[in-house]
Amino acid sequence: MPRYPLGLLTLMTSAPVLLAACTERYEVSGNDCDSGGYHGAYADEVLLPQNWNCDERQTFWFADQGSEIIPYGWFLHLEQVDSAEKFVDPAHIDRIRYLPQKPTVWNPDGLPIGFMRSEAAAETVNGEIARDWLGMNCAACHTGQIEYGGKKYLVDGAPTMADFQGMFEGMAEAMQATLDDEAKFDRFAEAVIAETAARNDGGTTDANELRQQLERITERRHAWNARNQGSSPYGHGRLDAVGSIFNEVAASGLGVPENAHPANAPVSYPFIWDTPQHDRVEWNGAVVNAGTGALSRNVGEVLGVFGALDVNTDAGNPSGHRSSVDMEGLATLEEHLLTLWSPLWKDTDLPLDETLAAKGQADYEEFCASCHRPIKRDDPARRIKAVMIPVSDPTENPNALATDPMMAENFVERFASTSKLDGRPINYLEAISRGAIFGEAAPTVAVLGYTVIGTIVDGLINDPGSTIRALKVGQPQDLQDAIDQAAEAMAKEPGEAGFRKFLQGLAAGLAKLPEPDEHCLPKPVPPGKDPVLCYKARPLNGIWATAPYLHNGSVRTLRQLLLPAEQREKTFRVGSRSFDPEAIGFVDEGASVLDTSLPGNSNSGHDGPTYGNAVFAKDPERLEAILEYLKTL
């Protein structure tokens, strides 16, 4: 029997009530953080003016998006593998290079930025173990820090230097050590049971049952890590996020283990200021912001990083996929991201020669501006059209990037067995699938689209107010009007009929959107055919704060990126936050080694006459001038 009534029957009064139904959990008081210090900061940590006040920042850092990693009390009391020190100890978190924080009203247990308490639904498998789970959101991977002159500049929207793989493999190893060491387990059990009683979070108070649960979740964490292994460690500041998302929906979500492929194309975390203003996002321009795009990319991200998902393949019950995705949290995060500005060098104590910078502008306009078009960072009406650049042999196309193609190749070449999806509408709903159905195998990106749309459908049924709010964020007014009209029709008619009217109205609104420019966009192709591979160029405002460079983080500094590829470092260390303002990048220190000879790690490309590399190699003064100009963006 369809599950339509859960959310709809309580919201059938009027459209205004429906559209205001999502109660805002995150309040903004308006205090200003641009003076430097902020709530929860450790010594020498300061902020840059990026158009967010203190509360808006804390909201973005700690809003729940629905990830469920391990029970929350477990994380607070989990010990490190070789000691009784807590895994969440700030010094340990800092070594992994996430950003530890002191306790605040938003973050009462002093979790690192981007981690929070997430509430599992009672009827889910996770909810049977505990109500409170450790979650993470986009701030964990998209908040950076630059250390210079005794200050630690926290940059919202910048790539993290964190070791994602080290964090979650280390967590699983710590859980396994807790099972294997009786004294360690006894300490863990005593603390967790006390925590459960204090928080009344629904967890067990029986040590034997706790051990069984720990065995079960430890196995789950080990399985996630094994499923998403690459050919070599990612190290600090990189992750094959697309590979992990593909594996989670096609292998884990569909229950088809053979659909898993090595997550072997790690990329640098992209900076995310101006993301809602782009027509296309991701390094390969694969995701559109139009239509359901903004919500779709956010739902896909949650499903890839520990979101719980129950894929519905019942053609007779199109009621969506139940998941842990928090639509209200996603709406809040996207609304905040819409107002974020890129950081400015001049707001730091980093040195700047303005006279020299002015000399570099002409070379920027000659070699850079055609692909990296300037924008006004604080213009609320700014919109950015993707500039897609082909990745191919430069002898065939002298303007081609010739950078490492593995991420772009994996996106278009990976196929999955569809299992129970065979014969189902490819976009979950017939209304937006236009007759296309799954066969026995399909591009993995199509399976991702099926799971994402079905998850949004579930949100429309069970949390319509928040889902509608999330659908509207950043969309053109025509589509917002169509969503409002569809919501009005849904509000007037309860149950399945009203829900179908909403979907029909939404589909009609999407049909009115202009067709995207099809030049050089990623398109899945059957095995044996050559795909068109491209990466996206974007405006470079704030680029100085986003090292290492190229899509896979294989070039340590901007200075090296502007030189011929053969002059770039072929190995360097990653993990330090100490900044070199002359080279524009982090110093060659840290716990990870990036070897550009390994698959997926090449630092070739972005070279040749079009890019000016030979010019800058021959004329150091021009190189210094353009580097100085890049600091002003």
Side-chain angles (χ1 to χ4, degrees):
M1 178 178 179
R3 291 183 281 105
Y4 294 108
L6 290 181
L8 295 177
L9 292 181
T10 61
L11 293 169
M12 295 302 156
T13 52
S14 65
V17 171
L18 174 64
L19 297 177
C22 46
T23 303
E24 181 61 76
R25 292 183 301 194
Y26 312 108
E27 296 181 356
V28 174
S29 65
N31 53 309
D32 192 353
C33 280
D34 290 347
S35 59
Y38 63 94
H39 305 297
Y42 280 90
D44 304 321
E45 288 185 317
V46 296
L47 295 170
L48 299 178
Q50 292 183 253
N51 200 38
W52 284 351
N53 64 35
C54 282
D55 295 347
E56 289 167 329
R57 280 187 161 101
Q58 295 279 343
T59 295
F60 190 80
W61 295 348
F62 302 115
D64 180 17
Q65 67 176 24
S67 296
E68 296 174 355
I69 303 169
I70 63 172
Y72 188 71
W74 296 14
F75 183 64
L76 296 182
H77 298 292
L78 184 68
E79 296 177 356
Q80 297 172 39
V81 171
D82 297 323
S83 78
E85 294 294 321
K86 295 293 191 290
F87 192 90
V88 75
D89 179 80
H92 182 237
I93 295 297
D94 189 56
R95 285 195 296 273
I96 302 172
R97 286 295 184 254
Y98 287 103
L99 292 165
Q101 299 290 283
K102 294 179 181 178
T104 67
V105 66
W106 301 267
N107 179 28
D109 295 302
L111 301 186
I113 286 175
F115 292 83
M116 71 293 301
R117 183 182 66 81
S118 181
E119 187 171 324
E123 67 271 16
T124 66
V125 172
N126 286 346
E128 293 172 359
I129 295 175
R131 183 193 64 218
D132 297 340
W133 283 66
L134 175 70
M136 68 183 300
N137 71 14
C138 45
C141 299
H142 300 284
T143 308
Q145 191 172 90
I146 288 174
E147 299 177 1
Y148 179 81
K151 291 184 178 179
K152 300 176 180 178
Y153 298 102
L154 193 148
V155 186
D156 285 301
T160 182
M161 188 53 73
D163 180 1
F164 181 101
Q165 198 169 21
M167 173 76 167
F168 292 103
E169 289 183 353
M171 184 183 296
E173 290 166 2
M175 295 165 71
Q176 188 65 55
T178 304
L179 288 168
D180 295 342
D181 184 325
E182 201 64 40
K184 191 179 280 287
F185 178 79
D186 288 344
R187 292 192 298 271
F188 174 80
E190 181 179 1
V192 166
I193 288 171
E195 184 79 26
T196 292
R199 291 182 184 270
N200 190 29
D201 75 348
T204 183
T205 57
D206 180 82
N208 290 330
E209 184 178 10
L210 178 62
R211 175 179 282 278
Q212 294 173 1
Q213 293 174 347
L214 180 60
E215 289 172 348
R216 178 177 164 192
I217 302 303
T218 299
E219 183 179 355
R220 184 192 298 179
R221 296 277 58 83
H222 280 315
W224 196 101
N225 293 332
R227 192 165 52 243
N228 295 299
Q229 283 286 333
S231 53
S232 59
Y234 306 152
H236 288 77
R238 301 197 310 162
L239 174 69
D240 185 354
V242 169
S244 297
I245 292 170
F246 278 6
N247 285 339
E248 291 313 294
V249 298
S252 180
L254 286 186
V256 184
E258 58 267 30
N259 280 341
H261 294 273
N264 59 357
V267 297
S268 178
Y269 298 100
F271 54 96
I272 59 171
W273 47 81
D274 305 323
T275 291
Q277 287 82 13
H278 282 254
D279 64 341
R280 288 187 168 268
V281 298
E282 305 299 341
W283 287 112
N284 62 341
V287 179
V288 296
N289 268 331
T292 64
L295 180 56
S296 291
R297 68 171 150 79
N298 289 328
V299 168
E301 183 247 340
V302 178
L303 298 181
V305 286
F306 315 114
L309 174 66
D310 180 11
V311 177
N312 172 18
T313 59
D314 181 358
N317 178 22
S319 56
H321 311 313
R322 296 309 307 267
S323 77
S324 62
V325 173
D326 188 318
M327 294 294 178
E328 182 182 352
L330 291 185
T332 296
L333 288 162
E334 189 71 12
E335 287 166 353
H336 280 63
L337 191 58
L338 192 65
T339 65
L340 181 65
W341 296 346
S342 56
L344 293 177
W345 182 288
K346 70 179 181 63
D347 290 325
T348 72
D349 293 334
L350 297 166
L352 177 67
D353 185 334
E354 295 184 1
T355 301
L356 183 61
K359 295 179 180 179
Q361 183 172 0
D363 276 336
Y364 181 87
E365 292 174 353
E366 178 178 354
F367 295 114
C368 309
S370 61
C371 295
H372 302 288
R373 298 165 184 165
I375 62 168
K376 193 172 185 295
R377 71 190 271 272
D378 56 356
D379 179 5
R382 65 191 184 280
R383 292 294 181 268
I384 301 149
K385 185 173 180 58
V387 178
M388 302 299 298
I389 312 296
V391 183
S392 63
D393 186 341
T395 62
E396 299 173 5
N397 180 353
N399 297 324
L401 277 170
T403 51
D404 194 296
M406 188 171 287
M407 181 267 177
E409 287 175 346
N410 286 354
F411 188 91
V412 299
E413 292 179 353
R414 290 203 165 162
F415 274 63
S417 169
T418 59
S419 185
K420 295 179 182 179
L421 298 186
D422 191 0
R424 292 296 308 271
I426 199 164
N427 287 322
Y428 187 77
L429 296 168
E430 293 181 13
I432 57 177
S433 296
R434 299 178 180 178
I437 61 173
F438 281 111
E440 293 182 359
T444 307
V445 67
V447 177
L448 173 60
Y450 177 89
T451 57
V452 165
I453 295 298
T455 301
I456 294 174
V457 167
D458 178 80
L460 288 168
I461 295 169
N462 292 293
D463 188 6
S466 296
T467 307
I468 291 166
R469 175 181 157 214
L471 281 169
K472 291 176 62 177
V473 178
Q475 298 290 12
Q477 192 58 52
D478 286 353
L479 183 54
Q480 290 195 43
D481 291 343
I483 293 171
D484 286 343
Q485 292 168 8
E488 289 176 7
M490 182 169 68
K492 292 176 181 177
E493 193 164 354
E496 180 175 341
F499 174 67
R500 289 191 177 279
K501 284 189 175 181
F502 178 87
L503 294 178
Q504 291 166 1
L506 179 61
L510 293 175
K512 294 177 183 177
L513 293 173
E515 289 294 324
D517 180 358
E518 289 298 316
H519 170 67
C520 203
L521 297 180
K523 302 173 185 176
V525 296
K529 291 192 175 182
D530 293 330
V532 177
L533 301 178
C534 302
Y535 289 123
K536 188 186 83 166
R538 59 176 298 170
L540 297 185
N541 49 305
I543 190 64
W544 59 270
T546 66
Y549 297 100
L550 289 185
H551 74 280
N552 59 355
S554 61
V555 179
R556 186 169 61 84
T557 68
L558 274 180
R559 179 182 295 277
Q560 291 191 28
L561 184 63
L562 293 175
L563 292 173
E566 65 268 16
Q567 297 184 26
R568 299 168 188 162
E569 296 169 337
K570 299 309 174 185
T571 62
F572 57 91
R573 301 197 76 85
V574 186
S576 175
R577 300 192 190 108
S578 296
F579 194 71
D580 179 352
E582 294 185 2
I584 312 183
F586 296 104
V587 300
D588 185 4
E589 297 174 357
S592 301
V593 175
L594 196 147
D595 182 349
T596 63
S597 69
L598 295 176
N601 287 3
S602 171
N603 69 351
S604 64
H606 201 278
D607 195 359
T610 301
Y611 302 95
N613 305 67
V615 171
F616 298 128
K618 292 177 181 178
D619 193 336
E621 291 185 4
R622 290 176 73 176
L623 175 61
E624 297 303 325
I626 193 171
L627 282 169
E628 211 68 14
Y629 179 72
L630 288 168
K631 298 174 184 178
T632 69
L633 298 179

